[in-house]
Amino acid sequence: MPALELRPNCELCDMDLPPFSVDARICSFECTFCAGCVARLSNVCPNCGGGFAPRPIRPSTEWRPGLSTTHRPASTTRVHTPYSQVELDDFADRVKAIAPQDR
Ligand SMILES: [Zn+2]
Ligand SMILES: [Zn+2]
């Protein structure tokens, strides 16, 4: 079955976000940030303008055949935002007053 990439870090502060992290947040395109940076971004994904949700935890225990982090490991490709802090703040300021469901 298709699966989330589970990217290994926050795009903005580079904090590690392992598959079991409760601090990981993703947008619908799987842009991945930590909870602290999502708050700083006013819940505006700087890449797509959408909102964020907590990233589901992938189990490390194989409760069902083949469906654990052992068999379906997280991505190891670190992603970093191409935008400067000023650009991020400007973008969030343009979008944040609109609720995610209305964007
Ligand atoms: Zn962060
Ligand atoms: Zn996004």
Side-chain angles (χ1 to χ4, degrees), residues 27 31 45 48:
C27 80
C31 307
C45 176
C48 71

Side-chain angles (χ1 to χ4, degrees), residues 10 13 34 37:
C10 172
C13 73
C34 72
C37 286

Side-chain angles (χ1 to χ4, degrees), residues 20-65:
F20 53 82
S21 174
V22 297
D23 288 325
R25 301 288 182 272
I26 55 173
C27 80
S28 74
F29 296 102
E30 298 183 54
C31 307
T32 303
F33 294 80
C34 72
C37 286
V38 165
R40 193 165 150 199
L41 293 164
S42 303
N43 196 28
V44 175
C45 176
N47 301 319
C48 71
F52 288 97
R55 187 178 69 188
I57 307 286
R58 183 169 303 167
S60 56
T61 300
E62 193 179 355
W63 299 101
R64 296 287 192 184

